[in-house]
């Protein structure tokens, strides 16, 4: 058996080496497909690890309440693509809900609403579509935010704000703008604190804190901000299910059947844009699959040409005793070898692309054995499927007819 494998390997290597140009371009389609799979799976895993680490740092004591519109993920995705409005502009959550949630159970330590607005922010410089994060004083303790200088917002009548590191540089040209003012939509705020720069600006709330300014929700009521999430931190993780039930009951008593929301905790907590990321990843995987199909068709075409060119060789091999299975596995092995060459190049390209993406995103490249095995099995399946027809055609050649054939 080992002798047969070595023989097939040498024959395949010799054939591919003889036609380097067309072998290279055939491998290219496979390489692009495998690289796309590696890149998508690497980034998806990186996002999951990033969010999971943040949840873990809070000790699994987190409960999230989000609006729910009972639409499918695909409908939500199309809605996001076709509309420039906030995805949560139909949220039924209110500031009063936050108060009721906090009072419904003594196990609740903090409860912070999250409402984001896209506004033109004016200071020393102007930032178009700046992110205004409206919340309350619990937000700092709930997310363990590090204040670089100054203080965090308080639940009072002062129009004060805390600004992210990157946005401070854009608006004021300084990371220490304490005491300076900025305005948006006829609202004027004074900066009382700055956030420390974070290496992971993306969090499970879906907000880049480095590029945001944090204000008290009560100070921007006139702009009708929609609460897209309520973060809740509990004292005792063992009672988190009971607390979630009490929160659900409090919201039902308040809203009746008119409110649509979802409550998540533990392993069910996901990034608010997880459905969006999943759909985008699926679309990219479809593109990768198309690339693999095109590469597979190229492999089948190359192998059919190879069978036609080596018809006389097939006749000689059969004349000296080679059986149909020997010929079949010879050509199937060749197509698999061609795919593996493309797979290896795809591994390298995909990992390099993941490293490149990590230079301008908070996602570190992540490659593990599972991702490699997925790409390996995809490549093996592609090689087998698209190598079957040429291998079968070669194995069914009649020795006499094949010997008559000459190039």
């Amino acid at each position: 058996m080992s002798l047969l494998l070595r023989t097939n390997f040498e024959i395949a290597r010799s054939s591919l080496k003889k036609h380097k140009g067309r072998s290279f371009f055939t491998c290219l389609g496979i390489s692009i497909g495998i690289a796309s799979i590696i890149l998508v799976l690497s980034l998806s895993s990186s996002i999951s690890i990033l969010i999971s680490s943040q949840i873990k740092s809070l000790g699994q004591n987190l409960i999230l309440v989000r609006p729910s519109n009972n639409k499918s993920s695909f409908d939500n995705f199309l809605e996001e693509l076709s509309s420039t409005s906030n995805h949560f502009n139909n949220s039924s959550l209110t500031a009063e809900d936050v108060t009721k949630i906090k009072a419904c159970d003594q196990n609740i330590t903090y409860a912070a609403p999250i409402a984001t607005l896209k506004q033109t922010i004016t200071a020393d410089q102007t930032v178009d579509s700046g992110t205004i994060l409206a919340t309350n004083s619990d937000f700092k303790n709930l997310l363990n935010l590090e204040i670089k200088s100054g203080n965090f917002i308080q639940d009072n009548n002062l129009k004060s704000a805390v600004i992210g590191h990157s946005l401070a540089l854009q608006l004021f040209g300084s990371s220490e703008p304490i005491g300076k003012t900025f305005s948006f939509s006829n609202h004027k705020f004074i900066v009382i604190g700055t956030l420390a720069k974070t290496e992971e600006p993306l969090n499970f709330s879906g907000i880049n804190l480095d590029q945001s300014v944090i204000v008290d929700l009560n100070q921007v009521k006139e702009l009708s901000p929609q609460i897209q999430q309520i973060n809740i931190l509990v004292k005792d993780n063992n009672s988190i299910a009971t607390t979630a039930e009490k929160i659900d009951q409090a919201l039902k008593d308040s809203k009746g059947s008119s409110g649509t929301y979802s409550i998540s905790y533990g392993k069910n907590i996901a990034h608010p844009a997880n459905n969006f990321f999943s759909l985008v990843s699926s679309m990219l995987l479809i593109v990768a699959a198309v690339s693999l199909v095109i590469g597979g068709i190229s492999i089948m075409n190359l192998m059919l040409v190879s069978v036609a060119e080596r018809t006389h060789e097939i006749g000689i091999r059969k004349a000296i005793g080679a059986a149909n299975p020997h010929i079949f596995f010879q050509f199937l092995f060749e197509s698999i070898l061609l795919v593996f060459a493309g797979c290896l190049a795809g591994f390298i390209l995909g990992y390099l692309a993941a490293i490149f993406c990590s230079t301008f995103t908070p996602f570190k490249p992540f490659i593990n054995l599972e991702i490699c095995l997925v790409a390996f099995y995809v490549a093996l399946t592609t090689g087998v499927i698209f190598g079957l027809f040429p291998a079968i055609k070669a194995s069914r050649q009649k020795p006499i007819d094949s010997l008559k054939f000459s190039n």
Side-chain angles (χ1 to χ4, degrees):
M1 184 65 180
S2 60
L3 178 61
L4 180 62
L5 289 176
R6 283 200 304 269
T7 302
N8 284 337
F9 176 79
E10 289 299 326
I11 293 173
R13 188 176 67 85
S14 176
S15 176
L16 296 178
K17 189 176 180 180
K18 185 178 179 181
H19 304 285
K20 294 179 182 178
R22 69 187 189 189
S23 297
F24 170 78
F25 287 109
T26 301
C27 287
L28 189 60
I30 299 296
S31 299
I32 294 173
I34 296 297
S36 301
I37 291 173
I38 293 291
L39 177 60
V40 171
L41 294 180
S42 174
L43 292 180
S44 299
S45 299
S46 180
I47 293 169
S48 298
I49 291 172
L50 177 62
I51 303 303
S52 297
S53 65
Q54 292 174 355
I55 301 298
K56 188 177 181 180
S57 68
L58 295 173
Q60 298 291 327
N61 291 0
L62 190 66
I63 299 175
L64 302 185
V65 179
R66 298 186 183 119
S68 173
N69 55 15
N70 296 324
K71 290 183 179 181
S72 68
S73 298
F74 185 71
D75 288 338
N76 281 331
F77 178 65
L78 292 179
E79 186 176 310
E80 287 184 3
L81 289 179
S82 61
S83 176
T84 56
S85 61
N86 192 303
H87 179 56
F88 296 97
N89 57 359
N90 293 319
S91 171
S92 65
L93 299 176
T94 65
E96 289 73 22
D97 292 333
V98 180
T99 303
K100 291 175 181 177
I101 286 172
K102 200 167 183 179
C104 75
D105 190 4
Q106 293 182 350
N107 191 35
I108 295 175
T109 307
Y110 301 111
I114 292 176
T116 57
L117 298 166
K118 289 295 183 181
Q119 298 285 331
T120 298
I121 307 175
T122 304
D124 295 345
Q125 302 292 329
T126 299
V127 174
D128 295 325
S129 297
T131 300
I132 308 296
L133 169 58
T135 183
N136 61 18
S137 59
D138 284 358
F139 188 74
K140 172 184 176 294
N141 296 318
L142 204 147
L143 260 69
N144 295 324
L145 294 182
E146 182 182 351
I147 303 298
K148 181 181 179 183
S149 59
N151 301 297
F152 198 70
I153 59 172
Q154 300 299 319
D155 299 329
N156 51 39
N157 293 323
L158 296 177
K159 286 201 169 184
S160 56
V162 176
I163 193 167
H165 178 84
S166 298
L167 187 58
L169 291 175
Q170 290 178 266
L171 285 174
F172 302 101
S174 168
S175 61
E176 297 287 344
I178 304 297
K180 294 187 177 182
T181 61
F182 65 90
S183 61
F184 61 90
S185 295
N186 298 321
H187 288 266
K188 191 173 183 179
F189 286 80
I190 183 170
V191 178
I192 63 169
T194 58
L195 297 177
K197 182 176 176 57
T198 174
E199 296 300 323
E200 296 179 348
L202 189 65
N203 51 69
F204 57 84
S205 298
I207 301 165
N208 186 342
L209 294 173
D210 274 352
Q211 292 282 355
S212 302
V213 59
I214 302 173
V215 301
D216 186 75
L217 179 63
N218 293 321
Q219 300 301 320
V220 290
K221 279 186 175 180
E222 297 85 352
L223 300 177
S224 301
Q226 298 295 311
I227 296 178
Q228 63 194 56
Q229 185 169 292
I230 300 175
N231 292 355
I232 303 154
L233 195 66
V234 301
K235 300 173 186 175
D236 184 11
N237 181 48
N238 295 323
S239 303
I240 194 169
T242 302
T243 301
E245 290 177 3
K246 290 183 179 180
I247 292 171
D248 186 32
Q249 189 59 51
L251 291 175
K252 283 181 179 178
D253 293 341
S254 171
K255 300 179 180 300
S257 59
S258 61
T260 53
Y261 56 87
S262 63
I263 299 175
S264 305
Y265 59 91
K267 293 182 179 180
N268 293 326
I269 290 178
H271 191 284
N274 254 359
N275 289 336
F276 178 80
F277 280 127
S278 297
L279 284 166
V280 171
S281 297
S282 298
M283 291 175 70
L284 290 175
L285 286 174
I286 290 173
V287 173
V290 171
S291 178
L292 283 172
V293 169
I294 293 173
I297 292 172
S298 298
I299 287 175
M300 185 167 63
N301 181 62
L302 175 64
M303 295 308 301
L304 287 172
V305 172
S306 181
V307 170
E309 291 177 345
R310 295 157 64 185
T311 301
H312 190 72
E313 174 192 330
I314 294 170
I316 293 175
R317 291 200 63 193
K318 284 197 169 186
I320 60 176
N324 286 352
H326 295 148
I327 304 299
F328 173 83
F329 284 112
Q330 173 191 336
F331 283 90
L332 184 62
F333 193 88
E334 189 171 321
S335 68
I336 293 174
L337 186 64
L338 194 62
V339 167
F340 280 163
C343 182
L344 181 60
F347 274 126
I348 298 171
L349 286 175
Y351 189 62
L352 289 176
I355 293 175
F356 175 73
C357 289
S358 69
T359 60
F360 55 88
T361 67
F363 312 126
K364 297 178 181 178
F366 178 81
I367 301 291
N368 62 2
L369 180 61
E370 185 177 357
I371 293 175
C372 294
L373 287 176
V374 168
F376 174 82
Y377 287 135
V378 169
L380 178 63
T381 303
T382 303
V384 171
I385 290 175
F386 290 95
L388 276 175
F389 178 66
I392 292 172
K393 184 177 181 180
S395 66
R396 290 181 176 177
Q397 297 278 3
K398 295 180 179 180
I400 296 176
D401 294 337
S402 299
L403 288 170
K404 292 179 179 178
F405 183 87
S406 60
N407 294 324

